[in-house]
């Protein structure tokens, strides 16, 4: 299973699957990052605020929505609110399966096709 499969939802991955790497082991001459990638879990409407703030600040967010019940209208409200944020900043938003949202700021688009698939 590849790294992106773990982030974007492979077979049963969780945050325990992440391995903390020591920055000292890598060349970090590139300086400060312009865009950070945040991983978020959405339990309810109140969790959207931090995601919106991150996207407004120019960061990318991968949000886990598995804790929301799909029959609940909260999912629709969360998606609508994050869609509005993506539109306001000129970014992008996609839903991957039933469990993840990816929200990007201006200048970053999410491809709708997989790299290793025709």
């Amino acid at each position: 299973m590849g790294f992106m499969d773990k982030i974007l939802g492979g077979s049963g991955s969780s945050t325990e699957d992440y391995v903390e790497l020591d920055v000292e082991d890598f060349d970090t001459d590139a300086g400060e990052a312009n865009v950070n990638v945040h991983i978020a879990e959405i339990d309810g409407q109140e969790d959207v605020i931090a995601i919106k703030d991150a996207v407004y600040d120019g960061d990318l967010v991968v949000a886990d929505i598995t804790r929301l019940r799909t029959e609940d209208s909260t999912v629709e409200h969360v998606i609508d609110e994050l869609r509005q944020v993506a539109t306001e900043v000129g970014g992008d938003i996609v839903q991957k399966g039933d469990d993840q949202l990816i929200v990007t700021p201006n200048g970053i688009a999410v491809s709708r096709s997989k790299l290793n698939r025709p």
Side-chain angles (χ1 to χ4, degrees):
M1 174 183 301
F3 174 73
M4 290 306 291
D5 288 339
K6 288 184 178 184
I7 288 178
L8 300 177
S11 59
S13 65
S14 69
T15 56
E16 289 82 31
D17 292 338
Y18 294 108
V19 175
E20 189 69 32
L21 300 176
D22 187 5
V23 178
E24 300 294 323
D25 294 339
F26 301 95
D27 181 18
T28 57
D29 289 339
E32 297 239 353
N34 293 329
V35 177
N36 289 308
V37 177
H38 298 278
I39 308 297
E41 290 183 353
I42 301 177
D43 295 326
Q45 193 73 33
E46 65 281 352
D47 296 323
V48 173
I49 296 168
I51 295 170
K52 289 170 61 173
D53 289 344
V55 175
Y56 282 131
D57 288 343
D59 292 337
L60 184 145
V61 178
V62 178
D64 182 352
I65 59 173
T66 55
R67 294 179 183 221
L68 299 175
R69 296 192 333 243
T70 55
E71 65 274 359
D72 189 358
S73 63
T74 305
V75 175
E76 292 177 32
H77 292 298
V78 165
I79 291 171
D80 287 343
E81 198 167 339
L82 293 176
R83 185 178 292 125
Q84 180 180 356
V85 171
T87 301
E88 287 175 5
V89 299
D92 197 4
I93 183 171
V94 295
Q95 182 173 353
K96 184 193 173 295
D98 291 333
D99 60 345
Q100 292 182 336
L101 295 174
I102 302 171
V103 188
T104 70
N106 185 23
I108 300 175
V110 179
S111 175
R112 275 37 178 197
S113 61
K114 294 182 180 182
L115 287 176
N116 57 351
R117 304 286 182 229

